[in-house]
Every structure is written in structure tokens, then in C-alpha cells.
Amino acid sequence: MSEHKKTITAISWCYDNSDLFASASADNLLIVWNVAEQKAVARLDNTKGVPTSVSWCWNSADGVAFVSQRGPLYIWVYGGPDPGLTVHKEAHSFLSDICLFRWHPKKKGKLVFGHTDGSLSIFQPGSKSQKHVLRPESLEGTDEEDPVSALEWDPLSTDYLLVSNLHNGIRLVDSEALNCITSFCFPSAAASVQCLAWVPSAPGMFITGDSQVGVLRVWNVSRSTPLDSFKLKKTGFHALHVLNSPLAKKAPSSCSPNKSQHTSSTSEAVPPPNLSQNCSFSLPPGHAVCCFMDGGVGLYDMGAKKWDFLRDLGHAETIFDCKFKPDDSNLLATASFDGTIKIWDTNTLTAVSTSPGNEGVVYSLSWAPGDLNCIAGATSRNGAFIWDVRKGKIITRFNEHGKNGIFCISWSHKDSKRIATCSGDGFCIIRTIDGKILHKYKHPAAVFGCDWSQNNKDMIATGCEDKNVRVYYLATSSEQPLKVFTGHLAKVFHVRWSPLREGILCSGSDDGTVRIWDYTQDACINVLSGHTAPVRGLMWNTEVPYLLISGSWDYTIRVWDTRDGTCLDTAYDHGADVYGLTCHQNRPFTMASCSRDSTVRLWSLTPLISPLLLNILTDQPWEKIIGNTDTAMVPGSPPLLCGKVSRDIKQELDKLNLDIRAKKLRWFSECFSPPGGTSNLWDLVSVINGQDDSLLPASYSKGVMHMKHLLKFKTSEAQELTIVRMCKFGGGIGAPSKEERLKEAADIHLRLGQIQRYCELMVELGQWEKALSVAPGVSMKYWKKLMQRRADQLMAEDNDDVIPYCIATGDINKLVTFFTGRGQLQEALLIAQGACEGNILAPQSSPVNHTTNDMDNIQQYQSLLHKICKELAEWYFQNGGSVRAACCHLAVENIKLSMCSLIRGNELELAACVGIVIGDRANQSTVYCLELLARKYMTTPKWELSANLLQMIPDNYILLAKLCAFYPGSAAEINQLHGRCGLPSVEECTALAKEAMSEGDLFSAVKFHLLSSEPENALRIGIDHIKEQLNRSSDWTVDSIQPILDLMSYIRTDRLIMAKLTEVRSELLILCGYIGGLLAIRRQYSSIVPALYEYTSQLLKRREVCVPLKIEKLSLELDAWRACTQSNSNPPSECQREEFNCLDRRIQPTDSAALVLCGADYVTGSNLPSHSDVQLSCFTGQRIQGPVFLLEDGKSAISLNDALMWAKVNPFSPLGTGLRINPF
């Protein structure tokens, strides 16, 4: 929600309507939002000053109070009978600026202000107002400032108030008697409080967050010192809030409802919290929402002392620029208004490092070429800097532009010694990395963008406020530009040279256009119009020479075909201005974008060039895949790859003489697919295909590993952690200490069942109790020895503590249940695999023969392992990671489920490539994939592709017949396609249909009629046959009807929608809808079952037809299905059970393979927040989350997931028009 154009200064939720909140910003704007509807309910345009604090009034539901620096307090009533702005009668003319204010939640109209001088002002109706009272004692009589950083009324009293001052700590004060009841003491003078919050579940308890370091302290009002403190992060707190109610955990399906009353959210069962002698307070079972200065956000479980969720780093403000690391396509750097540069791992989408300190505003960044591991950054007021990522520090600063903003910085990739910057002072400066100025190019106004030519190391282009683009040549001493391009109507921002076409560059401007210039012709060769606001991000594709992508202040990203200037696609997902676009040349079809909405988004550009991947898949000749720039630039020609990556792959393939197809599919698939598990998937495929382990890449051990490797790799990881030597990176900021590394190593050893190593590390860390308690798991002898060592040490210390011990048992099931209960499926996996390999065993009490027992155990553990892999896969899948889910299944060699995950995630091209490489064991799924892909390309001009795909399927006669039946060309073209597919000509088909009819072969008759010049005959025969089946026998099944129905659905659309076929068309649509509904029940597509039934009923209602289906019968079936499968409180009735059993018999597949493809579709990105126009689904009336699919009327929308499932069970559009639906 991005109406505010400047920094948001305050927000406040409405107390009695959880959908409403108010926000204020530095552009004097106050807005009331409705979150459910994602829109502004009311806006106040002039707040007479920047609001520093906003709060909903307790006394009127529609009133929002706000205050700026010295008041007065305004109350804005935006609804109700008399809206308007009023001034609080007493809260004005303050002597010191206001930091924040709070209404009393219980006492109507009571109100407190906190000031920058450390004082408070208290107002309440009917008593004298108290201004500037209760300053901290140490400030009395001085004019020092010590702002109030937090203020909260005591929820249990009308008069008590908790106040914190930035430097003078926390006090509990009495607002009536105006005295301080308790001053709380901090352990060190350096501690300063940024925020505080009461803990609702524990009266008298509150927590505070420090402003310098991420220390969370827990207090009780009855004690002046903290009860406990946790260092949660290295950076300071920004805000804190305690959740009122405990979080509802997703209950595991096998969980017994009657557990003891005291269960925490993480463990099996916890004894009631008791107050032991030495600790008079137990920690409350509460969750604190913590926000940190470095953009970290988390949910901390105070009772269990662990994070339930933590997004460790993030930008808290506009992101102006993003760039991939030249030698690593998984690392993306971003520069932000929040003064930092952050580096993200695009595989996990987490930030892995952040630049030290705050640089003000960082406008632009540029990586050093190659593997130099440095980033240059440009700031608004502090010049430019070079950050050495390895050392974690700033190594150089450039100040030639003085205090002027530097809008762009660019490190030359052809000559790593040169860096260019351009600034508001009108200069573009080229210098060496040690600061020697080589050129200073003066412009008539501010310079916003510059870009080094990719083909000529001495050429650089700039974009200037005077609307011009200039090109400079560094090899001459002249400070004048070689070329000046004029044409834009407003300032020019970024410029970009084409990587594939020499002398071509583009520029984006505030006039909303992108212009393309040809340096060799001195001319503008194209103007791309479409954006409705200034253009910022610009990016050429590094493989397809005509693809250009632009981002704008109109919140959109547009993809252009620069051959004719058409806009191929527009993405509306960002919630604000789009500033940066980038891609890595090794992964040219994955783009990153960044925006004022403070998100980085990753996009796949593969759909724009999809025929290419299929040409590779169907083994077409190279000239259909790789070409030169001139061929690719011919308008209307299909896309070709012209860049470095594709050439490199081809060169590598030319060297091979074995396994060429598999390598070709893998390498191209990795180049086309976005990050997030593709390489991991291919590594697993090669492990399954028996490749030597030594060939696995280093990154393999960081992903989902094949089960046989899990222990081997984890053990070596633990050993590396144990050898604590500061490696060549140096410690740097955020490097773990020796203790932390040993602890981590110990944890890994423990999970692998290597108990003795764990014990020894614990001893080294001084944690004897932990070592002793598990030592018997090694042996009784070892335990005794360890006891003696500890006893010796305690004697030497003259300490007669009772030594604790506990037994390390081998109860794997309990461990696994524990981990899965906490959602830590990765850990459970390790444990189960350890068990399967026989590493974790119960201590043996008697020397009996255990081998048979062990075999049983191992089998039991194997099935446990498969179960956990399934759960982990489902977790990835529901989070939009179908590729990672497929990895989990492959890790235990469950190829069917692995392929199923990819198909359900609509990763069809990837699934087909993987299936072909795996070979026979994936055949069935591969065939289904190729079928769906062929359906995807049954459109002009891609019929050829469709035929190529179907010709890869062994038993393809019927499939090719469907393709030819649906093909809409002229008679000659149709016969040509028949010939290509090995089918008889149209004329012959008419004769063959009659022959099949006389022989009683109904299926063939329908098929040949469809291929003849009068395909409508097929419908009459086929539909009569189906109606007869439905009427005659009570034992018809879906599988007896569906094949012929599916065949008929391929009748050419132009024939099907003819007026004379109205009746037969309606009957076909109704039958397809009904059988589709039954198939959806079989495949567990529960979200579309009601829609399919509703669609069939509507068609039955509206159209004159005679089919043996009754609307009443349909609604009975639907209710029975709902009652028997959807979890609801009422058990199904007897009739409903009977009805559902009958349904169930009809949908039982004759072929067991059909059941593999069970479960709803969920495409990558379905779980992401999108800011596109809010589309409502015409199936549910609810907002669509994730990608949207528009139906043929251009208005009605359904989610892409629903569209995919619909198309898999019913080929016709939900609008009942008779058009086929193609969402693939």
C-alpha cells in the first residue's frame, strides 16, 4: 500500500476493528487504511507539520489523534455525523518537542506525552493538566536533552506508567501523585532502552529492547534489576511487541487431543512452571515480535528461549539498485535508502552479509569484476566507497564530488582498475581504484547514469538532467563527448549498452519512454512508449538480443521486443517505484528487481522464449537454438540464443562423446531455470543414475542430499567446525566465536549419533553436565571414566556438588516426533537416516543376539525416513518450492513422487528434461509431461512444436490424432500435418470411419470422424454412446467414459461453436464438466470440485438438452463429498456415506498409475504477496493469492493453480463458451 511518497513517521492500529490502521508521513499526509480491502478509507492531506506520533482515540471509534513537534494535539474524525479536524483543548503550547503520546486504555480521555527533554505531560478530563513533569532526577536543573524512548500505561492500574528515557533508563511512575515508584537499574552504563512492552500473560512483567545491541531483557515491577536477558542479535532493537494470545500451532494429524494442560508450543509435554528457590520467576510463555535496526524481523518464544521465526537481515527502506556477483550467479547485492548494501543468497532468499555502518543513503552499487570480492557504493552525501566483502570493512573512500549526491557508480569490467561515478554536481569522474583522477567530464546539469561499453573498454555513456545522452571516448585527452543524442523530453536517468549488438544503447527518461540509439548511425532507432511515469531500471537480456526490460515509477516492469517496439508483457507485482533490474549472464532468464516497496523479487523470463527450451528437449538441430545476432533481429523470427553461455555450452558438448543428451538437457535446463533447487535436483538425478560421488560439486552438501550421503557430509562438516582456525576470510563482522563453532560442531555430532565426540567437545566448553548425561550412550566404561575426570576436577576445586547423570537412550521415534512436532523436519531427517545406518542404538543390557531385532528396526526406520521425506517435501511444496520438494523425494529415490511434485508445480519443461535423463523409471510421468506441453503449444504458430513433442512419446497414435483433429488450417495444411503425423488423409478418414462403425469399433469411428471433413458426426455417435452407458448400467466408471469424451473434446473449435451444433455442444460441455468433477475428486483437487459441479448444474439449467443427469442428483453428490472428505464438525449421514461410496467406486482408476498425480497444483510464486490489481476469483469470490489466469472474456479471473487443475480434468473453459482452456 503505497500512497505515502515520503518516509512513514508513525502508525497506529484501531482498537476495535482489526482491519483498520492509520499511518502518517513526512509529506504531511495522514491515511486510514483498510487492510482486508487493501485500500485507503480516508486521507487528510495537510497535517500542519510532520506527525511524530499517531494514536487512535479511545473515546471515538472514528477518531485519529496526531501531533507534530510541539503540538497542538489534533483529533481528526473522518467518519460519523460530523467529520473534521479539532484541536485538543489543553494539549498545546509545549516547551519541548514531543517524541510520542499514549491514550489510557481504560480511563477515558486520559493522555500522556513524552518529550525530548525527558519530561512528561499528563492530561485528563476534570483535573488540572500537568505539563513537563517527572523529568529523570539527574536532569533536573540542566538543559540536557534525554528523549523519552518508550511510554506504556500499566494495564492493571489507572495511574501507573512505565517510561524509558534513552540514557536514563526505565522508571515506573505514578501519574496522579507525580512521583517515581521504582527506578530500574541496568547491568552496564552503556545499555540504553529503545523500546519496551508489557507481557499480558504475566502481570507485572515487561520486556525491553536495547538500542545498541540486540539484548532482550525481562523485568518484573517488583525488582529493580532484570530477571533475565538474552542477546538475540548483534544490532540494536527498533521495536517490540508481545502477542496477547499464544500462537496456534498447526496440530500434527496424529496428535492426541488430551495432553496435559501445560504444553508449550515446542515440546511433547512440559511440567507446570514451578518457582524453585534460586529463581523466583519463571519466564512467561509469550511470543515477542522483535524488529531490529538492520531490518531483521522475528518472533521470539520467551518460554522456550528460541526463535519461532527470524528473517535475520533485510532492508527497511527503498532499494535503489541490485547487481549479481560477476563470478557467482547465486549472490545478489542490493543498495538501499537505509544506508547499507546487503548481499543475498538467491537460492535461499536470505541476506548473508551487510556492509558495516550506515552510509546515509546508498543510491548505486557496482561489483568489482571477476572474483575480487569488492563492491563499490555511491551515497547521497558521503561520496563513494569500496567495501571489501571478505574482510568485512570499507577499504577506500572517494570524495571528489564533495557533499553532492552520487547517483551512479560503475566499475569497468574490461579494465578492473577504473571506476566511474556521476553526480549532482554535473561531473562524470573516471578514476583508478587508488583514487587517481583520469578524466573529469563536465555536463551542463546533474548526471544520473553511466555505463561502460561492453565491446570497447574506452567508451562510456552518460544520462543527464539536460535530456541528453552523451558518449565519451577515454583514449583521447579531450573532455568533450564524441556523440550527443537528443530526443528525450525530460531528464535522462539510466543508460545501458547492448551486450550483444555493437554500438546499440538504450536510455530511460522521466518522459516515460525508453529510447534506443545506434551509435554507428548517430540516430534514435526506436522509441518504446507505454510507461506512465519516469523510467528507472533498464536491462538488456544477455542471450536474446532483442529483449529489453524496463522498470518505472508507475510500479510496473515491462518487457520489450526492440525489433518492432512491442511490449511483450507487463508485470504489476511491485507495490511502488521499480528502481533496479539485473540478471547474471550464467542465468540469463532469471531477473532480479528492486523497488521502493523495499522488496527484491526474482522473476523467470523463460516463458518469453519457451519454444527454445522445447527445441532443445525435442533434439532439434542447432540452428533452431543458437544463432547470430543478425538472424535473431529479423522481425517476427523465433527467438535464438546469441550469448556467451549458450556458445560455451555448445563448445563443451562438442567435446563430449558420451552422455551428450543428458548433459545438454541438464546444462540448458540450469541456464533456463531460476535458482531455488534446480542444480540440487540435477545433482540428485546424477547420483540416482550412478555417477561417481567425487564429481559432485561443493554446493551439493548444502542442499537436499541423497540419503546415502547425509551422514558422510554432515560428519565432515562437524569436523571442519571443530578445527577452529580463522580461515583466510578473517573473522570479520558477524563471524562466530570459537565457542559458538565448537557448540555447532557438537550439535552436529550429537545428531549423527557420534556421542563421544559430542561429550569431549562439551567438556572442552566446560559443560560437564551435558557431557555426563549422555556419556552412557558411548559405554558404561566411558561414563565412569568421565565421572572420574569430573570428580578429580571438582575435588581440586574443593566443590562437592552432586554430579548429575542421565541415560542416553536410542529412542529414535521419540526424537523424530519431537523434531517434527517443532517443524524441524531437516533435523528429523538426519536422525532417521542415522538410525537407518544403525548408528543410534539403545544401550544393550544383556548380551543376547540382536541381529533379527536390528533388521526389523532398520526396516521400521526406513519407512520412517520415507515418511519424513514426504513431510519435508510437502512443506517445501506448500511454500511454493516444488523443485525443492522434488529434491526431497529424489533423496530417497521416490522418482514418481518427485516427478509429481514438478508437474503439480507446473515446472513441465524441467520435469520433462529430468524424466528423459532418468529414463525408464520415470517413463509414465515423462509421457504425461510431454502431453501437457503439447497441449500448451496447440496454438498458432507453434503446432510444429506440439507435433515434435508428441513424436517423442512411444505409443503416440491417439495423441497425434487429437492434435490433427484440433488443427484449424486449410484443407491442404491439414493433410500435410496428417502426412507428417503418419495419419491417413482427410478423405480416407471418412471411409475409415464408416468401416469402423460397421465393425462396431466405436472408439475408432469417433476418431476417424473427428479427422474427416465432417467432425461433428463424431460428437453425435460418441455422445449417444456415453448417454446410453450412463442410462443403462449402474456400474459405469469414469475410466470407461473419459477416454472417448477426451477424444471428442479435441474437435476443432470453429466447428464446435457453429450455431447448428448448439445442442450437441451443450451436451459435450455438460458431460465434460460432470466427469471433470469426478476426476477432480479422484485427484484431490478439492478447491475446484464445487466449481465444476456448479458449472455443470448451471449448464443443465440454462440449456435445452437431454442428458441423464439431474441437478438434484449433482447437489446430493457434492454434499456427500463435502461431508465425507472435508473436515467439518458434523459426521456424514448414512445416505451421504452410501452416496459417497457409490461415487468412490465410479472414480477408482483401472490403472494404478493414475493415482500418482494426486494433490492440488501449486505453482512457484503462489505464496508470494503481489500488489497487482486485486482480482477476485469467479469460482470463490475471494481475492486470488499468487498468479492470476484471465479467462477468454478478458474480465473473469481464476487463480493459475485452479486453472491448471481445471484444464487437467476438463479441457473446456469455465465460461461455457466451448473454447478450450490453456493455462500451461
Side-chain angles (χ1 to χ4, degrees):
M1 300 190 288
S2 52
E3 306 265 320
H4 293 292
K5 294 288 178 262
K6 289 201 171 159
T7 305
I8 294 170
T9 53
I11 51 178
S12 169
W13 282 102
C14 175
Y15 300 110
D16 52 4
N17 180 346
S18 58
D19 283 339
L20 296 184
F21 74 91
S23 61
S25 58
D27 45 5
N28 294 356
L29 179 62
L30 180 61
I31 297 181
V32 175
W33 300 94
N34 182 319
V35 183
E37 295 168 13
Q38 286 206 359
K39 66 172 198 200
V41 180
R43 51 187 290 155
L44 179 67
D45 279 317
N46 183 8
T47 55
K48 305 180 170 55
V50 177
T52 44
S53 186
V54 167
S55 173
W56 222 275
C57 303
W58 279 100
N59 45 4
S60 73
D62 289 347
V64 179
F66 61 91
V67 64
S68 52
Q69 293 161 328
R70 294 214 169 168
L73 178 71
Y74 290 102
I75 293 170
W76 173 42
V77 177
Y78 67 87
D82 45 347
L85 198 61
T86 52
V87 177
H88 191 283
K89 290 191 190 60
E90 292 149 340
H92 49 77
S93 345
F94 295 106
L95 305 172
S96 166
D97 285 359
I98 295 161
C99 315
L100 70 170
F101 71 97
R102 291 280 181 270
W103 294 95
H104 197 290
K106 305 247 172 32
K107 210 164 180 185
K108 220 173 179 182
K110 186 166 185 175
L111 168 74
V112 60
F113 291 83
H115 298 279
T116 48
D117 68 353
S119 66
L120 304 178
S121 298
I122 298 154
F123 301 92
Q124 65 174 314
S127 53
K128 184 174 176 293
S129 55
Q130 303 288 343
K131 284 192 191 168
H132 301 293
V133 291
L134 291 166
R135 272 185 93 192
E137 279 174 25
S138 59
L139 293 179
E140 287 302 345
T142 70
D143 50 8
E144 272 179 57
E145 302 264 284
D146 182 14
V148 173
S149 57
L151 263 187
E152 295 297 339
W153 290 104
D154 183 336
L156 300 177
S157 119
T158 50
D159 304 328
Y160 286 6
L161 179 66
L162 208 48
V163 191
S164 78
N165 292 69
L166 201 53
H167 308 299
N168 276 287
I170 315 167
R171 298 166 295 150
L172 182 66
V173 299
D174 183 333
S175 64
E176 289 294 312
L178 296 184
N179 60 7
C180 172
I181 301 160
T182 317
S183 277
F184 297 92
C185 317
F186 279 86
S188 89
S192 63
V193 175
Q194 170 66 29
C195 45
L196 59 83
W198 290 98
V199 179
S201 57
M205 266 202 186
F206 62 94
I207 55 174
T208 60
D210 282 21
S211 63
Q212 300 301 311
V213 212
V215 177
L216 180 75
R217 300 181 202 278
V218 182
W219 309 74
N220 190 294
V221 286
S222 60
R223 271 177 52 171
S224 62
T225 53
L227 309 176
D228 209 339
S229 61
F230 316 106
K231 184 173 177 190
L232 301 185
K233 263 172 76 72
K234 292 189 166 68
T235 44
F237 272 88
H238 186 264
L240 254 186
H241 177 77
V242 179
L243 293 186
N244 279 322
S245 50
L247 281 186
K249 278 272 168 151
K250 270 195 192 156
S253 46
S254 58
C255 181
S256 58
N258 50 353
K259 288 263 177 74
S260 80
Q261 284 310 295
H262 300 280
T263 44
S264 88
S265 55
T266 54
S267 58
E268 277 285 83
V270 177
N274 55 349
L275 302 178
S276 56
Q277 288 71 43
N278 57 353
C279 164
S280 48
F281 295 101
S282 82
L283 278 182
H287 286 83
V289 180
C290 307
C291 302
F292 297 93
M293 292 298 189
D294 61 5
V297 179
L299 187 63
Y300 189 73
D301 181 336
M302 296 186 290
K305 301 190 184 179
K306 72 176 188 66
W307 288 109
D308 269 0
F309 158 81
L310 174 65
R311 204 274 310 270
D312 201 17
L313 278 176
H315 285 300
E317 269 290 1
T318 298
I319 305 173
F320 284 120
D321 198 6
C322 55
K323 297 277 190 319
F324 281 101
K325 188 171 192 303
D327 65 331
D328 186 345
S329 58
N330 292 318
L331 290 182
L332 177 74
T334 51
S336 165
F337 188 94
D338 64 15
T340 63
I341 292 176
K342 294 198 171 22
I343 299 176
W344 306 79
D345 176 344
T346 54
N347 264 315
T348 56
L349 289 181
T350 49
V352 288
S353 51
T354 180
S355 58
N358 187 321
E359 297 290 338
V361 172
V362 187
Y363 281 133
S364 170
L365 69 89
S366 184
W367 283 93
D371 57 356
L372 291 173
N373 258 319
C374 290
I375 295 180
T379 72
S380 58
R381 286 200 296 280
N382 300 336
F385 60 88
I386 296 179
W387 166 36
D388 184 322
V389 180
R390 255 196 201 139
K391 294 184 181 147
K393 61 181 195 215
I394 305 291
I395 51 172
T396 314
R397 288 194 180 275
F398 304 122
N399 295 314
E400 308 92 340
H401 296 285
K403 285 283 174 209
N404 293 294
I406 301 178
F407 297 110
C408 183
I409 188 160
S410 184
W411 203 314
S412 165
H413 280 216
K414 296 257 183 226
D415 176 353
S416 60
K417 293 192 178 57
R418 301 194 292 199
I419 293 182
T421 52
C422 37
S423 156
D425 61 9
F427 282 102
C428 171
I429 296 180
I430 320 283
R431 71 185 58 67
T432 61
I433 41 179
D434 42 24
K436 177 177 168 235
I437 292 186
L438 302 173
H439 295 275
K440 229 177 147 174
Y441 294 124
K442 173 101 178 82
H443 292 63
V447 195
F448 294 110
C450 62
D451 192 41
W452 294 93
S453 161
Q454 317 237 2
N455 299 308
N456 183 336
K457 70 176 174 47
D458 289 324
M459 213 171 271
I460 192 167
T462 63
C464 174
E465 194 171 6
D466 72 351
K467 312 176 193 170
N468 293 336
V469 174
R470 292 173 173 76
V471 177
Y472 291 90
Y473 188 52
L474 278 72
T476 63
S477 56
S478 158
E479 302 294 295
Q480 291 308 308
L482 264 188
K483 294 271 162 84
V484 180
F485 292 117
T486 58
H488 277 298
L489 307 174
K491 75 175 182 218
V492 178
F493 215 87
H494 286 302
V495 283
R496 289 282 181 271
W497 292 92
S498 162
L500 298 171
R501 300 164 61 207
E502 195 154 345
I504 300 290
L505 74 158
C506 67
S507 57
S509 155
D510 280 17
D511 63 14
T513 66
V514 177
R515 283 179 174 255
I516 296 168
W517 313 91
D518 184 337
Y519 173 79
T520 54
Q521 294 179 22
D522 278 5
C524 170
I525 53 174
N526 218 329
V527 180
L528 309 176
S529 315
H531 283 299
T532 55
V535 178
R536 286 298 175 262
L538 281 177
M539 179 191 102
W540 289 99
N541 186 272
T542 56
E543 282 291 328
V544 180
Y546 59 78
L547 276 188
L548 175 68
I549 300 167
S550 60
S552 158
W553 281 8
D554 63 11
Y555 305 6
T556 67
I557 296 172
R558 285 177 176 261
V559 183
W560 307 91
D561 179 337
T562 56
R563 297 175 297 189
D564 54 6
T566 47
C567 176
L568 300 175
D569 200 3
T570 307
Y572 298 89
D573 294 61
H574 272 297
D577 319 345
V578 180
Y579 278 105
L581 300 171
T582 183
C583 74
H584 193 282
Q585 67 166 14
N586 291 354
R587 213 184 255 144
F589 301 107
T590 295
M591 171 178 77
S593 64
C594 61
S595 153
R596 185 165 68 86
D597 67 9
S598 78
T599 65
V600 176
R601 288 168 189 260
L602 290 182
W603 307 82
S604 169
L605 306 176
T606 320
L608 298 168
I609 43 104
S610 47
L612 269 174
L613 189 52
L614 295 181
N615 285 338
I616 294 164
L617 189 65
T618 52
D619 238 356
Q620 299 298 308
W622 280 114
E623 53 272 17
K624 285 195 171 181
I625 300 165
I626 289 179
N628 62 25
T629 317
D630 298 341
T631 346
M633 286 305 294
V634 176
S637 60
L640 288 172
L641 301 174
C642 310
K644 183 176 181 306
V645 186
S646 50
R647 279 201 311 274
D648 290 352
I649 293 179
K650 184 174 183 303
Q651 274 177 343
E652 287 302 308
L653 288 170
D654 291 344
K655 294 178 196 162
L656 295 175
N657 42 21
L658 269 179
D659 208 18
I660 301 177
R661 179 111 200 258
K663 285 277 193 295
K664 180 176 176 182
L665 287 175
R666 171 171 187 167
W667 290 341
F668 275 112
S669 144
E670 286 185 310
C671 153
F672 279 83
S673 300
T678 316
S679 304
N680 191 170
L681 186 69
W682 281 110
D683 287 336
L684 286 162
V685 170
S686 52
V687 170
I688 286 175
N689 281 348
Q691 175 193 302
D692 188 339
D693 289 356
S694 61
L695 298 173
L696 288 168
S699 58
Y700 171 66
S701 61
K702 297 207 169 48
V704 177
M705 282 181 273
H706 191 281
M707 283 309 128
K708 66 179 186 189
H709 296 138
L710 198 58
L711 262 80
K712 190 167 86 182
F713 278 99
K714 281 289 179 189
T715 305
S716 63
E717 184 188 338
Q719 282 162 342
E720 275 170 38
L721 284 161
T722 316
I723 308 167
V724 184
R725 49 169 199 271
M726 283 309 187
C727 47
K728 61 182 176 204
F729 297 143
I733 292 190
S737 64
K738 177 173 177 177
E739 282 74 21
E740 285 169 327
R741 295 179 66 143
L742 286 178
K743 177 85 183 72
E744 197 179 329
D747 284 345
I748 293 177
H749 285 307
L750 184 62
R751 282 160 179 64
L752 296 177
Q754 294 156 344
I755 301 174
Q756 188 164 352
R757 294 190 201 169
Y758 170 80
C759 292
E760 292 300 335
L761 285 171
M762 281 294 140
V763 168
E764 193 176 330
L765 285 164
Q767 300 190 1
W768 282 94
E769 289 79 4
K770 285 188 178 169
L772 287 168
S773 62
V774 297
V778 181
S779 69
M780 287 319 226
K781 194 167 142 197
Y782 175 69
W783 179 60
K784 284 188 182 131
K785 204 162 90 194
L786 209 55
M787 291 287 254
Q788 280 167 345
R789 274 163 61 188
R790 178 64 173 145
D792 292 348
Q793 192 186 10
L794 286 170
M795 279 175 187
E797 289 173 12
D798 197 24
N799 181 340
D800 56 358
D801 267 356
V802 183
I803 295 166
Y805 68 94
C806 195
I807 297 161
T809 66
D811 193 343
I812 287 144
N813 284 328
K814 190 177 267 180
L815 265 178
V816 167
T817 317
F818 171 63
F819 277 126
T820 46
R822 294 170 62 156
Q824 290 170 299
L825 295 164
Q826 307 270 15
E827 308 286 348
L829 203 57
L830 273 177
I831 304 265
Q833 178 61 17
C836 285
E837 297 194 13
N839 272 15
I840 306 178
L841 296 170
Q844 314 265 305
S845 45
S846 57
V848 200
N849 181 353
H850 281 283
T851 47
T852 52
N853 195 356
D854 281 356
M855 285 314 292
D856 288 352
N857 274 351
I858 296 281
Q859 272 189 327
Q860 181 198 345
Y861 296 151
Q862 285 286 357
S863 67
L864 190 65
L865 188 63
H866 276 258
K867 184 169 148 271
I868 298 163
C869 274
K870 249 189 196 151
E871 283 185 32
L872 185 59
E874 195 49 32
W875 181 84
Y876 276 127
F877 189 79
Q878 293 305 334
N879 274 333
S882 53
V883 179
R884 283 246 161 72
C887 291
C888 294
H889 291 307
L890 274 190
V892 287
E893 303 216 6
N894 192 332
I895 292 167
K896 273 189 174 165
L897 282 180
S898 175
M899 292 290 285
C900 178
S901 292
L902 293 173
I903 295 170
R904 287 172 59 202
N906 207 33
E907 300 284 346
L908 298 177
E909 287 87 353
L910 179 60
C913 292
V914 166
I916 289 168
V917 174
I918 290 178
D920 292 349
R921 288 183 290 173
N923 267 352
Q924 219 166 10
S925 316
T926 312
V927 166
Y928 185 59
C929 257
L930 293 169
E931 258 182 73
L932 292 177
L933 281 169
R935 269 181 72 178
K936 175 176 179 174
Y937 294 109
M938 283 186 189
T939 56
T940 323
K942 309 220 176 84
W943 295 91
E944 182 106 345
L945 266 179
S946 213
N948 290 339
L949 286 160
L950 293 176
Q951 278 165 336
M952 293 172 67
I953 297 174
D955 222 352
N956 59 9
Y957 190 71
I958 304 279
L959 295 168
L960 289 168
K962 290 175 179 174
L963 171 72
C964 293
F966 189 55
Y967 179 63
S970 65
E973 289 169 331
I974 291 177
N975 269 330
Q976 197 182 348
L977 185 65
H978 278 229
R980 210 196 126 176
C981 295
L983 296 168
S985 71
V986 174
E987 295 70 32
E988 290 165 62
C989 287
T990 315
L992 286 165
K994 291 194 176 118
E995 197 181 311
M997 209 48 205
S998 62
E999 287 169 7
D1001 179 354
L1002 192 96
F1003 190 80
S1004 299
V1006 169
K1007 179 179 73 190
F1008 287 125
H1009 271 306
L1010 280 175
L1011 292 166
S1012 73
S1013 52
E1014 294 185 342
E1016 47 277 15
N1017 295 337
L1019 296 191
R1020 299 202 170 93
I1021 304 169
I1023 288 178
D1024 286 346
H1025 166 72
I1026 290 175
K1027 289 205 278 200
E1028 201 178 317
Q1029 280 225 315
L1030 294 178
N1031 266 330
R1032 196 186 54 205
S1033 58
S1034 54
D1035 57 352
W1036 63 269
T1037 64
V1038 167
D1039 284 357
S1040 65
I1041 288 177
Q1042 199 266 337
I1044 201 161
L1045 199 53
D1046 186 51
L1047 180 60
M1048 289 190 295
S1049 74
Y1050 280 93
I1051 181 169
R1052 276 198 281 293
T1053 308
D1054 56 341
R1055 285 302 173 92
L1056 182 62
I1057 58 181
M1058 294 193 314
K1060 64 175 190 187
L1061 291 190
T1062 306
E1063 187 182 343
V1064 79
R1065 174 174 72 240
S1066 300
E1067 293 181 353
L1068 178 66
L1069 296 185
I1070 286 167
L1071 291 169
C1072 282
Y1074 177 57
I1075 297 298
L1078 295 177
L1079 280 171
I1081 292 176
R1082 174 200 282 179
R1083 288 188 169 200
Q1084 294 168 17
Y1085 292 170
S1086 30
S1087 66
I1088 63 163
V1089 171
L1092 280 156
Y1093 268 86
E1094 173 63 21
Y1095 161 87
T1096 312
S1097 305
Q1098 286 296 339
L1099 288 175
L1100 276 170
K1101 246 185 232 160
R1102 287 205 214 116
R1103 310 214 170 153
E1104 294 293 316
V1105 287
C1106 60
V1107 277
L1109 291 174
K1110 296 277 173 290
I1111 295 181
E1112 300 70 39
K1113 172 86 169 128
L1114 290 179
S1115 67
L1116 278 178
E1117 282 184 13
L1118 184 61
D1119 291 344
W1121 168 76
R1122 278 199 173 115
C1124 296
T1125 60
Q1126 311 294 300
S1127 48
N1128 49 14
S1129 45
N1130 310 333
S1133 65
E1134 253 330 287
C1135 337
Q1136 285 178 325
R1137 270 223 177 83
E1138 215 169 289
E1139 187 70 54
F1140 184 69
N1141 289 339
C1142 170
L1143 256 188
D1144 207 38
R1145 278 198 303 281
R1146 294 203 196 291
I1147 62 177
Q1148 281 314 312
T1150 41
D1151 175 11
S1152 62
L1155 278 176
V1156 174
L1157 284 159
C1158 263
D1161 286 2
Y1162 200 68
V1163 301
T1164 314
S1166 297
N1167 57 336
L1168 299 178
S1170 149
H1171 295 272
S1172 339
D1173 306 337
V1174 178
Q1175 297 273 10
L1176 300 180
S1177 162
C1178 57
F1179 283 177
T1180 59
Q1182 314 264 300
R1183 247 190 97 229
I1184 297 173
Q1185 165 89 36
V1188 170
F1189 182 77
L1190 279 176
L1191 298 172
E1192 64 269 28
D1193 63 356
K1195 299 194 295 278
S1196 314
I1198 52 179
S1199 75
L1200 179 57
N1201 294 323
D1202 284 351
L1204 285 164
M1205 292 186 283
W1206 181 286
K1208 286 174 187 173
V1209 295
N1210 174 9
F1212 292 110
S1213 155
L1215 296 180
T1217 52
L1219 298 180
R1220 285 177 69 96
I1221 174 176
N1222 186 358
F1224 304 105

